Amino acid sequence: MGNVFLRVWAYFKLCLPCVSEDTTDSPVVIVNRGAHHAPDPPQSLKQKPIILYFVALFDYEARTAEDLSFHAGDKLQVLNTSQKGWWWARHLEKEDSSGQRLEGYIPSNYVAEDSSLQAEPWFFGAVSRADAENQLLYPKNQTGAFLIRESETHKGDFSLSVLDGKVVKHYRIGRLDGGNFFITPRKTFSTLNEFVSYYSTISDGLCVRLGKPCLKIQVPTTFDLSYNTVDHWEIDRSSVQLLKRLGTGQFGEVWEGLWNNTVSVAVKTLKPGSMDPKKFLGEAEIMKTLRHPKLIQLYAVCSSEEPIYIITELLRHGSLREYLQIDAGSKIHLAQQVDMATQVASGMAYLELNNYIHRDLAARNVLVGEHNIYKIADFGLARILKVDNEDMYKMKDQEKLPIKWTAPEALQNNTFSIKSDVWSFGILLYEIITYGKVPYSGKTHNEVVLMLRQNYRLPQPPNCPQKFYNIMMECWHENPKERPTFERLHLTFEDYFQADLYSEGNNFIR
Ligand code: ATP
């Protein structure tokens, strides 16, 4: 994966007094809320009932009789935005048999206001550098494929990512005081559209001339099954068909299912007695509000009788643990391992920001989707499962139990915190770098607890770079307060290779 980040911004800041000064050195919040979250209605729509036109960014297939199907590029008129995440819209190009324009609910994160920046095929919103690389490296994109994204580290700035052969290169787009955009100050543009038009005709210092916009391969997750499960997400279990068993965990089975004959979902069926339904519903209430592209979305539950069903987003490639083990290092290399760590840290930074604790972070609870997407599952569930530490020691499948992932203070006093999650993240890094090896292999849980009391830490695995191991060791600091935040961990992994370039003195590389 090409990780050459072009630090032209730093260079021009040095050379040009007229460039607006950005002194943001402190860590910034990197949580990826922007493009993936159900946007609030545009201000103009909230205020007065004027007609607003939207353009579809992705294909959408109706899930209920009240939904409206559309294709990417279709024009829609939004008529009502009162339902969060789902708007009532009129299709401007499709009519029913009586000549009436078709109307129905649409997911609001599938459309953008016509002629807005968000509607441009090359604008990808708040996409991270690693995700931009994954999307550009999709085989159907060719040299010159590009996207413009909002910078995560410099709020309000934009970055250009371009595919050059097999390498993705990134340019920070500078702004003059007057707001003009530039890569080099000898050529500035009043809009990003002008910027794109210019570099589509001539490379003028870029690695290549801009070609086609990057294909939008990642269809966003809707946050609900449909408009009518937004508030009523206790659903009838007869609306869910269980199609194929995907796996079995300590507390039940996971099935691939189909809701309403239209939406593919994952269904976790909990063994009777493993959870108090009331407690579960209380927690699910919070889990439902957590929305982030690196977290598995909770869609709905069937909790009125046992077994409880937890209905979530489906990720096709199953758990990260198995994914790492199957490949065992023949195809997965350091860049992808760092990407896994970056994506998980991004999701955890969101939980951190929302004061939420996972309690069972491990490779078995990270799921793998299409196009190298990794998402965190089962957050919060551990708190309400009817298991205490005593039981954990006694349980049969020692390999899967979280003792070896749990921070010493959580084992000793049951004090779970986001910092005990950071400890678990360190163990997850061990799993990533060893291709799914069980930590403290061959040791019983009691032995591990004793070893940790004596300040023992997992040794550096043979193929693990020192830099990667140093991060693991920071996560295992005895004092929870000294462990890094997930925000910091995200930035560290996001810049993992970039930092190497700096240390070699390369501030801007082409
Ligand atoms: P434990 O119960 O100890 O947490 P586990 O995480 O392996 O173990 P489950 O969460 O029940 O157990 O998951 C069992 C398997 O089902 C996973 O390993 C994974 O392969 C599959 N699975 C779980 N959730 C999903 C999902 N949302 N999409 C696709 N596959 C899933």
Side-chain angles (χ1 to χ4, degrees):
M1 202 177 292
N3 271 296
V4 185
F5 192 88
L6 306 171
R7 269 281 170 164
V8 283
W9 174 240
Y11 170 72
F12 287 119
K13 256 168 69 167
L14 285 174
C15 302
L16 274 176
C18 58
V19 173
S20 62
E21 198 51 41
D22 183 341
T23 52
T24 331
D25 280 329
S26 54
V28 290
V29 176
I30 29 61
V31 171
N32 221 352
R33 284 162 179 269
H36 301 273
H37 283 256
D40 280 339
Q43 203 56 29
S44 44
L45 246 178
K46 278 194 214 155
Q47 286 163 353
K48 44 189 169 130
I50 60 159
I51 299 171
L52 266 192
Y53 295 102
F54 281 74
V55 61
L57 304 175
F58 306 92
D59 293 352
Y60 178 73
E61 195 66 45
R63 298 171 172 189
T64 69
E66 291 87 2
D67 278 9
L68 186 61
S69 297
F70 52 79
H71 290 294
D74 286 357
K75 295 275 164 70
L76 302 153
Q77 182 185 349
V78 171
L79 303 169
N80 188 323
T81 61
S82 55
Q83 180 72 285
K84 195 168 193 298
W86 296 84
W87 293 343
W88 186 262
R90 178 177 294 157
H91 202 299
L92 295 178
E93 290 151 30
K94 273 192 194 164
E95 293 174 349
D96 64 14
S97 51
S98 64
Q100 292 278 352
R101 293 252 165 87
L102 290 177
E103 291 187 8
Y105 281 104
I106 59 166
S108 60
N109 55 342
Y110 275 52
V111 296
E113 220 172 320
D114 201 12
S115 306
S116 66
L117 183 58
Q118 285 68 20
E120 294 296 344
W122 39 259
F123 187 73
F124 276 54
V127 159
S128 70
R129 191 169 60 226
D131 285 355
E133 290 185 0
N134 285 332
Q135 302 209 16
L136 278 161
L137 290 169
Y138 181 56
K140 288 192 179 162
N141 284 315
Q142 288 172 358
T143 287
F146 71 100
L147 60 88
I148 291 184
R149 56 193 171 83
E150 290 168 40
S151 164
E152 288 193 316
T153 40
H154 295 258
K155 288 278 169 228
D157 283 350
F158 298 97
S159 298
L160 168 70
S161 303
V162 194
L163 182 62
D164 181 11
K166 289 189 175 156
V167 180
V168 177
K169 292 181 177 165
H170 306 272
Y171 298 80
R172 180 149 296 142
I173 301 174
R175 300 288 291 271
L176 294 178
D177 277 343
N180 273 19
F181 301 95
F182 69 89
I183 290 272
T184 155
R186 72 184 152 70
K187 189 74 197 159
T188 69
F189 308 89
S190 55
T191 65
L192 284 174
N193 299 64
E194 284 175 20
F195 172 96
V196 167
S197 302
Y198 179 76
Y199 286 107
S200 300
T201 49
I202 180 172
S203 61
D204 196 12
L206 284 188
C207 54
V208 288
R209 187 167 63 81
L210 299 184
K212 288 193 177 158
C214 174
L215 293 165
K216 286 195 167 155
I217 50 172
Q218 273 171 37
V219 177
T221 308
T222 58
F223 299 113
D224 319 279
L225 290 167
S226 81
Y227 75 95
N228 58 3
T229 66
V230 176
D231 299 319
H232 306 283
W233 43 277
E234 169 77 46
I235 59 167
D236 192 336
R237 70 183 61 213
S238 66
S239 64
V240 187
Q241 268 172 274
L242 301 186
L243 301 178
K244 185 174 120 194
R245 198 172 66 190
L246 297 172
T248 308
Q250 300 287 336
F251 305 101
E253 296 176 340
V254 177
W255 287 73
E256 176 179 344
L258 195 62
W259 174 76
N260 208 31
N261 285 322
T262 48
V263 188
S264 292
V265 290
V267 184
K268 195 165 206 160
T269 65
L270 291 176
K271 276 183 203 157
S274 53
M275 215 177 257
D276 172 353
K278 261 198 195 149
K279 263 192 173 175
F280 167 67
L281 271 184
E283 195 66 22
E285 196 88 44
I286 306 170
M287 283 151 61
K288 184 79 179 72
T289 62
L290 296 169
R291 299 177 161 194
H292 187 272
K294 303 301 175 198
L295 297 185
I296 288 285
Q297 185 63 40
L298 172 67
Y299 285 145
V301 297
C302 305
S303 67
S304 53
E305 55 188 277
E306 294 203 285
I308 291 176
Y309 282 6
I310 303 177
I311 294 150
T312 67
E313 180 183 354
L314 174 76
L315 255 61
R316 297 273 171 201
H317 297 298
S319 89
L320 177 61
R321 183 171 187 250
E322 286 154 26
Y323 186 74
L324 287 160
Q325 287 171 342
I326 290 167
D327 181 75
S330 62
K331 287 200 208 98
I332 298 172
H333 301 296
L334 185 63
Q336 196 180 343
Q337 290 166 310
V338 167
D339 186 27
M340 291 168 180
T342 313
Q343 295 193 36
V344 174
S346 163
M348 288 305 300
Y350 172 84
L351 291 187
E352 179 175 78
L353 193 68
N354 286 281
N355 299 316
Y356 199 83
I357 306 169
H358 190 299
R359 287 171 180 251
D360 192 9
L361 183 59
R364 64 182 172 276
N365 285 330
V366 174
L367 298 170
V368 184
E370 308 284 342
H371 315 301
N372 298 323
I373 288 294
Y374 310 97
K375 298 195 183 199
I376 303 163
D378 286 357
F379 37 93
L381 274 190
R383 194 165 81 91
I384 40 177
L385 284 167
K386 285 185 179 163
V387 186
D388 57 26
N389 281 359
E390 282 278 294
D391 291 335
M392 283 210 274
Y393 285 105
K394 286 183 216 144
M395 284 170 120
K396 270 193 195 149
D397 191 351
Q398 298 255 321
E399 280 219 335
K400 275 185 152 188
L401 281 176
I403 298 273
K404 290 179 173 178
W405 281 259
T406 306
E409 73 279 4
L411 286 173
Q412 278 160 29
N413 325 314
N414 222 11
T415 46
F416 285 85
S417 67
I418 196 70
K419 294 299 186 189
S420 54
D421 279 349
V422 171
W423 176 287
S424 312
F425 181 73
I427 306 286
L428 167 63
L429 293 178
Y430 175 88
E431 293 182 275
I432 289 177
I433 209 70
T434 61
Y435 299 101
K437 282 222 168 91
V438 179
Y440 316 97
S441 169
K443 301 277 180 245
T444 67
H445 288 146
N446 286 331
E447 283 169 338
V448 171
V449 172
L450 282 176
M451 281 154 67
L452 290 178
R453 274 191 203 144
Q454 286 153 15
N455 233 353
Y456 174 87
R457 296 293 182 265
L458 283 165
Q460 183 171 359
N463 64 337
C464 175
Q466 186 63 43
K467 185 171 169 177
F468 199 95
Y469 185 62
N470 289 347
I471 304 172
M472 287 156 65
M473 288 297 282
E474 279 184 54
C475 295
W476 299 329
H477 202 290
E478 195 182 358
N479 180 355
K481 286 188 187 144
E482 296 294 325
R483 295 174 203 154
T485 61
F486 279 110
E487 182 189 356
R488 170 54 55 200
L489 285 163
H490 180 207
L491 284 175
T492 304
F493 278 110
E494 180 87 5
D495 283 349
Y496 189 91
F497 296 106
Q498 198 182 334
D500 277 347
L501 296 174
Y502 295 153
S503 64
E504 287 159 18
N506 296 319
N507 270 349
F508 59 105
I509 297 172
R510 297 202 170 188

